[in-house]
Amino acid sequence: QKEVEQNSGPLSVPEGAIASLNCTYSDRGSQSFFWYRQYSGKSPELIMSIYSNGDKEDGRFTAQLNKASQYVSLLIRDSQPSDSATYLCAVNVGFQKLVFGTGTRLLVSP
Amino acid sequence: DTAVSQTPKYLVTQMGNDKSIKCEQNLGHDTMYWYKQDSKKFLKIMFSYNNKELIINETVPNRFSPKSPDKAHLNLHINSLELGDSAVYFCASSQVLDSLYEQYFGPGTRLTVT
């Protein structure tokens, strides 16, 4: 069973702080990794994709990938209350099949 | 300028009925997907079509039958609905040819079976 593990949270951070979300995966052959944000009652929204080891930055978001440790993380700098949502980690396990984690709920307090 | 759209948004029906959900994408993508998100918010793939050809068919009851009339449309027909089918169903699409496999989701259809 190819799995993606996330801490369900909630992860509570004050406004302006850095939120750090983590994800581990079991399929060592996976090559592409994604972070989705899902607000309550809404659909998942793609916010970051990463394919190579290292960091990838996009605005306040940084995705980090370590294939040797089978670990993906998402950093959100200067967290805002509007960032409060569930963040889903997804791993491509082949044939365009994404396996999702159960998500981490982030709460950013003003 | 809707990218991935689904109809209906809400669907309330009784056990034993047959219902369909429609999905359309105007992104020019070649691959479309159906996902199910259960009450615990776990998102799981059900089916995938690439250029009208079924490429992913997860362990889903055969009461569920996808149909892709063309690469911009993917429908889901469900026969003999059961209580356990209550969930949110999401359609998604991606462009496989660029090897990025980034998937974009529709707004979802909340199915309630009573």
Side-chain angles (χ1 to χ4, degrees):
Chain A
Q1 180 73 14
K2 298 171 182 175
E3 293 184 346
V4 177
E5 303 276 349
Q6 293 182 259
N7 187 319
S8 61
L11 173 65
S12 295
V13 300
E15 184 174 356
I18 295 175
S20 178
L21 304 159
N22 304 315
C23 171
T24 58
Y25 60 95
S26 63
D27 184 6
R28 190 169 286 278
S30 298
Q31 296 295 320
S32 49
F33 308 86
F34 308 90
W35 283 99
Y36 285 82
R37 176 175 64 197
Q38 187 173 25
Y39 293 112
S40 181
K42 300 295 185 181
S43 60
E45 175 193 4
L46 180 65
I47 54 171
M48 289 290 283
S49 54
I50 187 166
Y51 308 93
S52 304
N53 277 328
D55 294 1
K56 178 181 177 183
E57 188 174 315
D58 184 0
R60 296 186 296 112
F61 298 100
T62 298
Q64 299 175 317
L65 174 61
N66 184 326
K67 290 184 181 179
S69 300
Q70 295 174 243
Y71 178 91
V72 192
S73 65
L74 179 70
L75 300 178
I76 306 174
R77 289 181 299 281
D78 187 25
S79 294
Q80 301 296 310
S82 59
D83 294 326
S84 297
T86 296
Y87 289 80
L88 302 170
C89 174
V91 176
N92 189 316
V93 298
F95 300 102
Q96 303 90 50
K97 179 180 174 182
L98 289 188
V99 175
F100 282 81
T102 52
T104 298
R105 189 166 161 233
L106 174 66
L107 296 175
V108 181
S109 54
Chain B
D1 61 345
T2 303
V4 183
S5 59
Q6 294 179 231
T7 54
K9 191 169 173 61
Y10 300 97
L11 190 51
V12 181
T13 188
Q14 291 183 329
M15 284 175 55
N17 285 348
D18 303 338
K19 290 293 179 186
S20 291
I21 307 172
K22 296 187 175 183
C23 177
E24 177 180 359
Q25 56 94 5
N26 63 5
L27 296 168
H29 288 168
D30 57 10
T31 304
M32 297 183 71
Y33 311 80
W34 278 114
Y35 285 86
K36 179 180 180 180
Q37 190 168 45
D38 60 24
S39 57
K40 295 183 179 178
K41 307 299 183 187
F42 183 57
L43 191 59
K44 193 173 191 306
I45 192 165
M46 301 171 68
F47 302 103
S48 172
Y49 271 79
N50 175 265
N51 281 321
K52 301 193 297 178
E53 181 181 347
L54 183 66
I55 56 171
I56 295 175
N57 185 356
E58 290 293 286
T59 308
V60 175
N62 57 16
R63 298 181 294 103
F64 290 79
S65 53
K67 279 195 173 53
S68 181
D70 56 61
K71 70 175 187 176
H73 296 84
L74 180 62
N75 304 322
L76 183 65
H77 188 75
I78 316 170
N79 289 326
S80 303
L81 278 155
E82 300 177 358
L83 291 176
D85 298 332
S86 295
V88 181
Y89 292 85
F90 288 104
C91 176
S93 72
S94 69
Q95 179 62 6
V96 172
L97 287 178
D98 63 11
S99 301
L100 293 179
Y101 310 123
E102 293 179 344
Q103 296 184 18
Y104 297 89
F105 284 76
T109 296
R110 183 174 293 276
L111 172 65
T112 303
V113 182
T114 63

